Amino acid sequence: MKKAFWLAGATILALAQPALAGDTIKIGFVSTFSGPTAVIGNDMRNSFELALDHLGRKMGGKPVEVIYEDDGQKPDVGKQKTEKLIQSDKVDFIVGYIWSNVLLASLKTAVDSKTFLITSNAGPSQLAGELCSPYVFSTSWQNDQTPQAMGTYMNQKGVKSVFLIGPNYAAGKDMLAGVKSTFKGQVVGEEYTVWPSQLDFSAELTKARNSKAEAIFVFYPGAAGVQFLNQYTQAGIKQQIPLYTAFTIDEITLPLQKENALGVPGAQQWVNDLPNPENKKFVEDYRKKYTGLRPTFYGAQTYDAAGLINSAVVAVKGDTSKKDEMKAEMEKANFKSVRGPFKYGNNHIPIQNFYLQDVVKDAEGQLSLKTVATIVKDDQDRFHDKCPMKK
Amino acid sequence: MLVLVEQSLNGLQFGLLLFLLAAGLTLVFGIMDFVNLAHGSLYMMGAYFAATFVAWTNSFVLGILLALGATLLLGILLEFIALRHLYGRDHLDQVLATFGLILFFNDAVRLIWGPAGLSLPLPAWLTVPVQIVPGVFYPAYRLSIIVVALAVAALLYIVVMRTRIGMLIRAGASNREMIGALGINIKLLFTLVFGLGAALAGLAGLMQAPILTVQIGMGENILILAFVIIVIGGIGSIRGAFMAAIFVGMIDTLGRAFLPDLLRTVLSSAAASTAAPALSSMLIYLLMAIVLVVRPEGLFPAAKR
């Protein structure tokens, strides 16, 4: 009898759960929280949590609940976690995705269920073009844009020939294609490495050295970027052929790359010192809340994702069933971004500036990234014409 | 031609590093008949110890020696606390228990050192490229890996094949009761062998650390290669591990270096540069499959028991 009583009580509680759900804004968060690249996922989570703090942990007057899921950097796992968040947790928004291949695997589930998906890093070319969707927004970029900016910068520097090295997956191919689309000189070699398992780049570096190229362009995010710079420096190529990068040096990898990163330029749409009040607040509060850590561009983009979601929820006063209104609001990019103002293209990819960043010693004597110049202004990605959504 | 020399050195260096890892594994797996999936964790611990001790002592050589001792100690401790209770159990239990150890070590490292990883900077005298033949420069550090690994290989061969301890190890592996009946402390012997295996894994890890980064889970990818090597070389055979490691290192590196150009002669450039990395990473597994078909015992199997 007593058992039956508890059972009944538990059942009622379990049934009561969905009734409560409407009173909270539910956000699913998919990123990498285990394995070698977990630091990136942690930075994204830290920044999202900070954004929620800044919003009073409420959106449109309703409390926010975030469910974090780990994709382990694997497309199949990411897809499963996305399905779980949408189908059993019934989230209103889904955020995150570091890796292009994980995002591409997860995309269909979100689009089919008409759940808003905000990618705060991955920007595969397909997403900007034929796979664009009314329910998908980006707070980052299309993969090609950043290396395109680097290609433009290499033209400015008068570089005549380049050797390209990158990982053999969706983003790696986009990145190298991006450089090739703007670089006017000759591409003397192009190497793809097995991703993410290959950690030794000796064979590729030997080929790069022997190619007699004037420059090497490389794209390796996370720890692989540290390894590449180590090996590039140890092989003595740093004195022979200068390196140009995108996404290879950031605040996570810099403490490990140390002096190896000095003098290696990179392109980026967000740098920690961008002069706007939102950014100042973001960087300062981040360093206060997470002592010893510095935010990266991954985090900055994820901070923006929270702002974007908040703008949509506020516009419908917390009624997340009004999807068309939320979409219309998000298309205005009506929130204060840490990179200053930007606007959305027809494919929901930001139209924004790209900057040249350099590694310098900051006021505290630590290595830090610094904005040197604006390479491209209001850049729109080159795939937006292929997107069936027109303005 | 000079490119071939340089790429062969790359292959040799990678192969010798794999040998250090595989030699420790084959001591434990082949001679003690114990499947230790946590071997990669010891490789990781070696790297973490080295990064820590080098930072503490401010001396590369001293830090590395301390790290080597620490890994040896950790191996002995691990054997004493956990693993010696598993010798009598079947392989599946050992796999399960040592898999648990991988998770344990990963989380322990996350707790102690944090999730971000460490770096192990090289001293200046090891960062310069060395000219070995006119026109061929090779990183001094990678050369030193070749030298150290060759020395360790020679030492290991002498210890296992030419000394009394080595004889006891080999005898103990083939008949544990018999050697016990002769009055030898077999438990102590196995503890020492396990410690030696751990130290070899640690050495591989700390030597790899300045090239790669020191990070959680760094041993897992490379452990698969170590298993492939002992399967190809023959389980329990140090000589087999040595030959197979160099084969694998060479095939992997030369495949990556020359396959794209080879494929470009038949495929379009874009297709070739996408297919080549996938193909070259399959080459060693292909080699393993062929060896398993032709010689299931491996290329250089240990003497029949």
Side-chain angles (χ1 to χ4, degrees):
Chain A
M1 195 55 210
K2 214 172 174 186
K3 210 174 179 183
F5 171 74
W6 285 117
L7 205 65
T11 318
I12 289 164
L13 270 180
L15 287 174
Q17 211 53 30
L20 281 169
D23 297 329
T24 57
I25 305 296
K26 267 192 164 186
I27 301 173
F29 195 110
V30 179
S31 189
T32 308
F33 299 117
S34 63
T37 53
V39 271
I40 300 177
N42 284 338
D43 177 55
M44 287 166 80
R45 177 166 52 194
N46 287 350
S47 303
F48 201 71
E49 285 289 318
L50 182 67
L52 292 181
D53 287 353
H54 286 170
L55 294 167
R57 306 198 80 84
K58 281 190 169 170
M59 289 180 180
K62 290 183 177 178
V64 180
E65 183 195 348
V66 190
I67 305 165
Y68 292 97
E69 291 290 352
D70 177 15
D71 62 28
Q73 203 178 340
K74 296 189 182 80
D76 51 328
V77 179
K79 179 171 186 279
Q80 272 171 29
K81 294 291 168 77
T82 307
E83 281 169 0
K84 180 231 161 208
L85 285 169
I86 290 173
Q87 285 156 13
S88 45
D89 295 327
K90 309 231 181 305
V91 295
D92 301 305
F93 296 88
I94 199 154
V95 194
Y97 300 102
I98 306 175
W99 313 104
S100 293
N101 48 355
V102 179
L103 175 65
L104 285 172
S106 312
L107 198 59
K108 195 172 181 313
T109 316
V111 172
D112 287 354
S113 67
K114 302 190 174 173
T115 307
F116 283 111
L117 183 151
I118 290 106
T119 166
S120 66
N121 191 63
S125 50
Q126 297 89 330
L127 186 76
E130 66 268 33
L131 289 183
C132 72
S133 154
Y135 297 100
V136 180
F137 284 81
S138 159
T139 51
S140 49
W141 20 253
Q142 194 278 315
N143 284 339
D144 296 46
Q145 286 183 286
T146 317
Q148 274 180 304
M150 208 9 105
T152 306
Y153 176 66
M154 288 195 288
N155 293 336
Q156 290 168 11
K157 290 270 284 179
V159 176
K160 294 280 177 297
S161 60
V162 68
F163 193 94
L164 309 174
I165 308 178
N168 192 22
Y169 83 112
K173 288 177 209 164
D174 281 349
M175 295 287 162
L176 300 201
V179 179
K180 283 194 279 185
S181 73
T182 52
F183 182 63
K184 295 203 179 81
Q186 194 196 357
V187 177
V188 291
E190 192 179 347
E191 288 295 322
Y192 293 92
T193 61
V194 183
W195 180 257
S197 59
Q198 186 183 326
L199 309 169
D200 191 310
F201 306 112
S202 54
E204 290 74 22
L205 283 168
T206 297
K207 290 180 93 169
R209 188 213 313 263
N210 286 293
S211 74
K212 305 270 180 270
E214 275 182 37
I216 299 174
F217 172 86
V218 76
F219 160 67
Y220 281 111
V226 181
Q227 291 153 0
F228 185 88
L229 267 189
N230 273 350
Q231 296 172 25
Y232 165 76
T233 313
Q234 285 166 16
I237 306 178
K238 196 170 183 179
Q239 288 85 20
Q240 300 170 337
I241 311 174
L243 191 66
Y244 296 82
T245 68
F247 303 113
T248 305
I249 301 171
D250 58 49
E251 274 81 1
I252 292 175
T253 58
L254 194 53
L256 298 170
Q257 289 161 331
K258 298 196 172 114
E259 273 72 23
N260 288 349
L262 281 171
V264 180
Q268 202 60 267
Q269 95 295 9
W270 175 88
V271 193
N272 53 32
D273 63 349
L274 285 185
N276 65 70
E278 280 67 36
N279 195 41
K280 228 176 148 203
K281 187 174 175 212
F282 166 61
V283 175
E284 269 174 16
D285 288 357
Y286 187 103
R287 294 187 63 183
K288 242 180 260 161
K289 187 171 182 191
Y290 310 103
T291 341
L293 297 179
R294 288 159 182 258
T296 65
F297 68 90
Y298 301 103
Q301 293 153 189
T302 313
Y303 185 90
D304 275 357
L308 178 71
I309 294 173
N310 181 54
S311 73
V313 177
V314 168
V316 295
K317 301 194 176 59
D319 182 2
T320 50
S321 61
K322 293 179 177 164
K323 299 208 169 182
D324 289 339
E325 283 174 44
M326 288 203 289
K327 169 177 168 285
E329 183 65 20
M330 286 199 276
E331 281 174 345
K332 291 182 211 153
N334 189 13
F335 68 100
K336 296 254 194 264
S337 162
V338 292
R339 76 197 84 161
F342 72 81
K343 54 181 193 271
Y344 274 120
N346 61 320
N347 53 0
H348 298 173
I349 307 274
I351 299 177
Q352 60 190 335
N353 296 351
F354 284 85
Y355 305 98
L356 178 69
Q357 68 172 33
D358 208 353
V359 182
V360 290
K361 279 223 162 87
D362 68 5
E364 296 157 48
Q366 284 174 317
L367 290 177
S368 173
L369 292 163
K370 184 180 184 301
T371 316
V372 185
T374 308
I375 308 175
V376 239
K377 265 194 164 339
D378 295 330
D379 188 48
Q380 182 166 24
D381 70 273
R382 63 196 179 107
F383 296 94
H384 70 276
D385 287 341
K386 293 195 187 130
C387 170
M389 290 192 295
K390 300 285 176 212
K391 265 207 170 143
Chain B
M1 196 56 216
L2 290 178
V3 181
L4 188 67
V5 173
E6 205 176 330
Q7 294 289 22
S8 306
L9 275 174
N10 286 335
L12 183 70
Q13 179 265 319
F14 184 46
L16 282 170
L17 196 106
L18 288 173
F19 164 70
L20 289 180
L21 198 64
L25 194 63
T26 205
L27 274 182
V28 175
F29 180 31
I31 299 181
M32 293 164 63
D33 195 29
F34 181 77
V35 184
N36 181 21
L37 290 187
H39 196 70
S41 297
L42 292 163
Y43 166 90
M44 171 177 77
M45 294 309 289
Y48 269 96
F49 283 143
T52 311
F53 288 132
V54 169
W56 274 1
T57 59
N58 241 333
S59 152
F60 187 73
V61 177
L62 189 64
I64 279 207
L65 289 176
L66 280 175
L68 211 53
T71 330
L72 177 79
L73 224 69
L74 179 72
I76 289 176
L77 222 62
L78 189 65
E79 199 269 353
F80 197 76
I81 295 170
L83 302 181
R84 61 167 47 187
H85 311 294
L86 296 165
Y87 291 150
R89 313 284 282 273
D90 67 69
H91 282 163
L92 194 65
D93 291 353
Q94 297 170 353
V95 165
L96 222 57
T98 50
F99 183 73
L101 281 174
I102 293 183
L103 302 177
F104 167 80
F105 274 112
N106 284 349
D107 272 328
V109 164
R110 201 188 307 276
L111 276 174
I112 300 170
W113 284 282
L118 301 173
S119 69
L120 176 52
L122 284 174
W125 51 277
L126 276 175
T127 48
V128 284
V130 179
Q131 185 163 9
I132 27 178
V133 247
V136 179
F137 286 89
Y138 202 68
Y141 185 66
R142 285 182 192 258
L143 267 187
S144 70
I145 291 183
I146 295 180
V147 173
V148 170
L150 282 176
V152 169
L155 201 70
L156 205 61
Y157 185 80
I158 294 168
V159 167
V160 174
M161 293 314 208
R162 296 277 180 271
T163 65
R164 190 177 138 77
I165 293 261
M167 187 191 76
L168 290 176
I169 291 172
R170 282 177 288 142
S174 52
N175 196 328
R176 195 177 305 204
E177 283 76 29
M178 180 58 81
I179 195 123
L182 291 172
I184 308 293
N185 186 345
I186 186 78
K187 278 192 163 173
L188 180 68
L189 186 70
F190 271 30
T191 307
L192 286 178
V193 172
F194 192 86
L196 180 63
L200 282 170
L203 180 63
L206 65 87
M207 294 233 292
Q208 189 72 298
I211 294 183
L212 309 183
T213 41
V214 182
Q215 55 180 359
I216 297 163
M218 63 187 282
E220 283 145 40
N221 270 331
I222 204 157
L223 185 71
I224 300 171
L225 282 182
F227 270 108
V228 168
I229 285 166
I230 57 176
V231 167
I232 293 177
I235 293 164
S237 157
I238 300 275
R239 191 162 67 106
F242 183 78
M243 301 303 278
I246 289 179
F247 271 158
V248 167
M250 284 287 189
I251 287 179
D252 188 61
T253 306
L254 296 183
R256 264 160 47 207
F258 299 110
L259 206 59
D261 298 329
L262 214 64
L263 282 183
R264 257 171 220 136
T265 56
V266 270
L267 290 171
S268 75
S269 178
S273 46
T274 318
L279 256 177
S280 67
S281 64
M282 275 160 53
L283 278 181
I284 44 173
Y285 300 103
L286 208 64
L287 173 76
M288 179 174 78
I290 294 169
V291 167
L292 277 176
V293 169
V294 181
R295 295 185 63 144
E297 300 237 284
L299 293 178
F300 307 92
K304 282 269 171 339
R305 289 175 185 171

